Amino acid sequence: MHTLTIDGKEMRVERGTTILEAAKKIGIEIPHYCYHPGLSIAGNCRMCLVEIEGVPKLQISCYTLVSDGIKVHTRSERVIKARQAILEFLLINHPLDCPVCDQAGECYLQIYYMRHGLYNSTFLEDKVKKRKAVVIGPTVILDSERCVLCGRCVRFCDEVSKSSELGIFNRGDHSEISTFPKKELNNKYSGNVVDICPVGALTDRDFRFKCRVWYLKEKPSICPGCSNGCNVWIHYNVDRTCKAEGKRVMRIKPRFNEEVNKWWICDEGRYGYKFVDDNRIEKPYIRQQGKLIPVSWDMAIERIAGLLKKYPPESIGIVPSPQCTNEDNFVLKKLFSEHLGIKNIDYRVPSQLNVYSDDFLIREDKNPNSRGCEELGLFPKDKGLELKDMLREAENKEIKILYLMNHDLVKKMGREEVALALSSVDSLIFQGTNFNETVEFADFLLPSSTFAEKDGTFINQSGRVQKINKALEPLGDSLSEWKIFVKIARELGIPVEYGGPEEIFFDITKEISSFVGLSYSLIGDEGINLY
């Protein structure tokens, strides 16, 4: 350990710590552009210069390691003057297009100028013109005039995505970021270069001009795109419905979690949020004379409860969803397994889809809570049927009711594999968030809320329990799955009553051994491992 003083505050840090990181530990922010904790150190922007007593020249704090007894000043007169000079140098050729720049409001040229610059420009010459609004890949647009050449994006492509599409070309004030000849920025993690660009040089084609960032609200959540459970921020706008055609979710951003995804998310997760606002099932439906007719919740629940009373448990099949929370699936188990005695329960749906996975963040299992379904035991026991056997027995007219939770069997298994079974059951109940091909066969549709519209927990593939948080009100008449099961239970006179997800989770910790000792407060925003 080393003892040092930064701006008069004495502290002890481990050997090998840089001055910039040491200062961060005691709440002192040293401005920087090229430094990023997830990338190698370049030391080229010079914004993080600090003064060390006894050292004649200012030193870059992102690269300089602490040593015992040093006294560092981050806001001395020499440092402030140097910082202003660097800012003026970086802004010499920067265009005055802040009013039309998507980065406005979260641009570190703006932020640092207001905090550390505030100088009167002495630059009278013409600015060097560079390329603007250049599409460099499916997700990113480059504005070379705004770039400060920090090189974060280049290092990301070299060190994290390992795709090496970007480089810095030309010399002097004509240097600029670009893709290599005959290449485009097109990798599974390309959107991260927008997150780490400290200025408005790289902007997101998906978010571009949707909404000013100061109108956005944010909520911590978990990406539902695969079983890795990457931590994310949901950025949404509900106050200015004139923006983005009334869509509520504006973008998904990575949220740092050292144990799961660090600073990054994949593009599949980043841009996979559209289902929250598009193609939603917003009302309960019942099929009458071949057409799905919208009905009230009371009518739909009454009819479904009647069917559950009519048929014996062995003629009913339940297919829970690993897209649902532990709380949703626990109430499902209470109702269908414990109280109705249904044994044909299986969450596992085989998929014929070609999916991408890698050894970084993207997993082959495209569900966020398969591990949760395993822990809750949502698979057949005591001679219950697996899904494929349920479908076979449906074709044989032995399974009369099939209750699907948000599974598109047609898409995953193929129409020819499931069409006969789905059309042979007396009643197909589909409870889910969006219309899909399987809905064509449904006799009942029950609208449920998405991950952005409810609280609850997922368990990722490594056994980490993580919370999702409600950012939005459920769209239309949709409800959280557990609330739908409580409605059915009430109609059947079954004592399954809960006031909210935290109350359900408390019961999970009492009944499922792997959850013992956990609570929402212990899980927090970073999650906790099951074992």
Side-chain angles (χ1 to χ4, degrees), residues 54-306:
V55 178
K57 292 184 178 180
L58 300 179
Q59 302 295 307
I60 51 172
S61 62
C62 69
Y63 187 75
T64 307
L65 301 179
V66 299
S67 55
D68 213 32
I70 62 170
K71 293 183 178 179
V72 180
H73 301 280
T74 71
R75 293 191 60 83
S76 67
E77 185 177 350
R78 284 182 69 197
V79 169
I80 295 298
K81 282 186 175 178
R83 207 169 281 165
Q84 289 178 334
I86 295 296
L87 267 175
E88 185 170 15
F89 184 71
L90 291 173
L91 285 164
I92 280 177
N93 289 307
H94 195 83
L96 294 175
D97 53 5
C98 295
V100 296
C101 178
D102 248 14
Q103 193 79 0
E106 50 189 14
C107 170
Y108 279 86
L109 273 177
Q110 286 181 333
I111 293 168
Y112 289 159
Y113 177 79
M114 297 308 294
R115 289 180 185 171
H116 309 281
L118 299 175
Y119 56 84
N120 292 318
S121 175
T122 57
F123 185 72
L124 302 176
E125 292 79 3
D126 292 335
K127 291 177 182 286
V128 174
K129 300 296 182 186
K130 294 179 182 175
R131 300 178 301 156
K132 296 184 75 68
V134 181
V135 174
I136 59 172
T139 64
V140 181
I141 281 186
L142 166 68
D143 187 317
S144 289
E145 288 186 349
R146 297 174 187 165
C147 181
V148 294
L149 297 172
C150 69
R152 284 184 181 184
C153 54
V154 177
R155 280 174 284 148
F156 175 85
C157 291
D158 289 343
E159 299 166 10
V160 181
S161 69
K162 302 185 188 305
S163 47
S164 300
E165 299 102 326
L166 295 176
I168 298 177
F169 300 87
N170 301 325
R171 300 175 64 185
D173 59 6
H174 284 69
S175 299
E176 61 178 319
I177 294 288
S178 187
T179 53
F180 284 96
K182 299 182 180 179
K183 271 197 169 188
E184 61 175 3
L185 180 62
N186 187 5
N187 62 68
K188 299 293 183 183
Y189 299 90
S190 65
N192 290 286
V193 300
V194 175
D195 299 332
I196 60 176
C197 178
V199 297
L202 297 172
T203 51
D204 192 329
R205 296 179 68 183
D206 180 68
F207 179 68
R208 196 170 165 82
F209 304 130
K210 265 187 182 175
C211 186
R212 282 301 195 181
V213 297
W214 47 85
Y215 294 144
L216 297 178
K217 296 176 181 175
E218 64 179 15
K219 207 69 159 180
S221 191
I222 303 300
C223 174
C226 81
S227 60
N228 198 58
C230 291
N231 289 213
V232 298
W233 291 104
I234 301 172
H235 285 183
Y236 61 99
N237 163 46
V238 291
D239 297 325
R240 290 165 175 79
T241 55
C242 57
K243 304 290 184 185
E245 300 176 335
K247 304 291 174 60
R248 301 171 300 168
V249 178
M250 295 289 108
R251 64 183 181 182
I252 299 292
K253 287 283 192 180
R255 181 166 60 92
F256 177 76
N257 188 320
E258 177 71 29
E259 302 297 324
V260 182
N261 55 294
K262 299 187 186 299
W263 301 268
W264 324 115
I265 56 173
C266 69
D267 288 356
E268 193 175 317
R270 181 185 300 271
Y271 302 115
Y273 65 87
K274 306 292 175 63
F275 74 96
V276 175
D277 286 309
D278 294 343
N279 196 33
R280 288 289 300 277
I281 303 171
E282 296 188 39
K283 292 180 179 298
Y285 288 83
I286 296 178
R287 189 174 295 280
Q288 296 176 353
Q289 297 178 337
K291 293 183 178 179
L292 286 169
I293 307 297
V295 297
S296 67
W297 268 113
D298 287 346
M299 179 180 287
I301 295 297
E302 182 184 355
R303 292 279 298 276
I304 290 171

